[in-house]
Each structure stands twice: as structure tokens, then as C-alpha cells.
Amino acid sequence: MTENEFIEGLKNHNANAYGKLLDDFQQKVFATCISFVPNTEDAEDVAQEVFLEVFNSIGKFKGNSKLSTWIYRIATNKCLEFIRKRNTKKRFAFLQSIMGNEIPMDKTKYFTEMNHPGVLLENKEKSETLFRAINRLPEAQKVVFTLSKVDGMSYQEICDITERSLSSVESLMFRAKKNLQVSLEKFYKSEK
């Protein structure tokens, strides 16, 4: 089945095409989601949302990029949307606690599951520290750094997914590395 036939099958709601979509992309989309949202249950939920969006929006796919690029763009956007919602809930709970209308805040660590295959660090604590530092990066830097260093994508793939120029992606990566270096140096100095 060629990519065009595959896309037409998806647009026509062909069951075989949907099966192929899940077979080809389920693990890849989950790996991208767990890179941004390093908690298995949440990453699975976001991955499901990605496939729902693909199913609902396949008719809008124009073919200006590869199908995989379009799917990764949806995955990245859904992950960022999830992170924004989570951060909004935390801010709301914090504001409520200041105002005296305290709702019990979730005290559990968010970064509890670091089983991502792309993260080859010696132990869980280092993984948590790294992901916290990545999570504090400005959004554009976080996206570029995660897609490159955690998901192993090339700069060209990142350009296609983020719809940015190569020089923009390189600049964001440079700043992300600098910011992470500063952030991690501060963390390890405070640990001593």
C-alpha cells in the first residue's frame, strides 16, 4: 500500500488503514508522548488523544508534509496542551491556597516513571532532575530539545514538525543547551 493509498484509506474510514495506522505509529507516538509527559498513564491518555485527532482530522490533511510529520506535529501539540492544562491547575490550586479557599494540592511527584528508552541515565533521581530542568525550558526550546535529544529526531525532521527554519531550530537548541547547563549547574552546586 503506497502512502497515498494509505491516506485515502484513512480518509474513507477503512478499517485496514486504521489498523495499519495503529501498527505503524502507536509505539512511536507513545514514545514522543512519554518524552514530554514522563508518566505512563498520562502519556497513554495523550497518545489516545493524538489518534482521536488523527481520525477526526485526516480529512484536513493536505499532503504538504509526510503523514508521519503531520502525526508528530499533532502529538507534540497535544503534549504541550496537556502540560499547559496541568500547569494551569497547579497555579489555580496555589492561588486558592493563598486566598484561603484551599483545595488539597496533589503532593505526589509528577516525574515518577522514567522508563523512556531514550533516557539512558544511571538512576531515576538523575532522570527526574533532567526532566524537571527540561520542563522549565521555554516551550519552543523544550520542544526542539525533546524531539532531538530524547526522541532522536534529525534537525530536518524537527523543522518539518515545528514548521520552523533550520537556523531557528539550531538557535533554539543552542539556547536550550545553555539554559539546561545553567539550570543543572545550579542544581548540583546546591546539592553539595
Side-chain angles (χ1 to χ4, degrees), residues 9-136:
L10 290 172
K11 287 181 178 181
N12 294 324
H13 305 289
N14 178 297
N16 290 337
Y18 282 130
K20 179 175 173 33
L21 176 73
L22 290 173
D23 288 346
D24 291 356
F25 289 99
Q26 192 168 19
Q27 290 303 315
K28 295 172 187 172
V29 166
F30 177 75
T32 296
C33 291
I34 197 107
S35 298
F36 284 97
V37 183
N39 174 285
T40 304
E41 286 179 21
D42 290 337
E44 287 170 351
D45 290 346
V46 174
Q48 276 188 325
E49 287 183 34
V50 170
F51 285 105
L52 281 172
E53 182 71 25
V54 169
F55 295 147
N56 293 329
S57 301
I58 191 67
K60 297 176 189 172
F61 178 68
K62 294 180 180 90
N64 298 338
S65 62
K66 293 192 307 188
L67 180 66
S68 59
T69 300
W70 184 70
I71 292 170
Y72 283 121
R73 188 175 304 134
I74 291 172
T76 301
N77 289 333
K78 287 291 180 189
C79 290
L80 294 174
E81 189 179 293
F82 176 85
I83 291 166
R84 280 187 215 110
K85 284 180 186 173
R86 186 189 74 225
N87 289 342
T88 300
K89 286 178 187 173
K90 284 182 182 177
R91 280 193 296 272
F92 178 72
F94 176 70
L95 288 173
Q96 288 230 319
S97 69
I98 290 174
M99 303 300 225
N101 307 339
E102 193 168 341
I103 352 178
M105 286 177 67
D106 182 12
K107 304 278 192 229
T108 59
K109 282 188 180 179
Y110 186 73
F111 295 93
T112 55
E113 297 178 40
M114 294 296 155
N115 299 323
H116 187 280
V119 179
L120 301 174
L121 295 173
E122 287 180 24
N123 61 43
K124 187 176 173 178
E125 189 175 295
K126 286 182 182 176
S127 297
E128 288 177 8
T129 302
L130 177 61
F131 271 98
R132 281 195 187 107
I134 292 169
N135 199 41
R136 284 192 294 268

Side-chain angles (χ1 to χ4, degrees), residues 137-151:
L137 290 172
E139 189 172 281
Q141 292 176 27
K142 180 181 357 181
V143 168
V144 169
F145 185 86
T146 301
L147 290 175
S148 174
K149 298 299 181 186
V150 181
D151 284 353

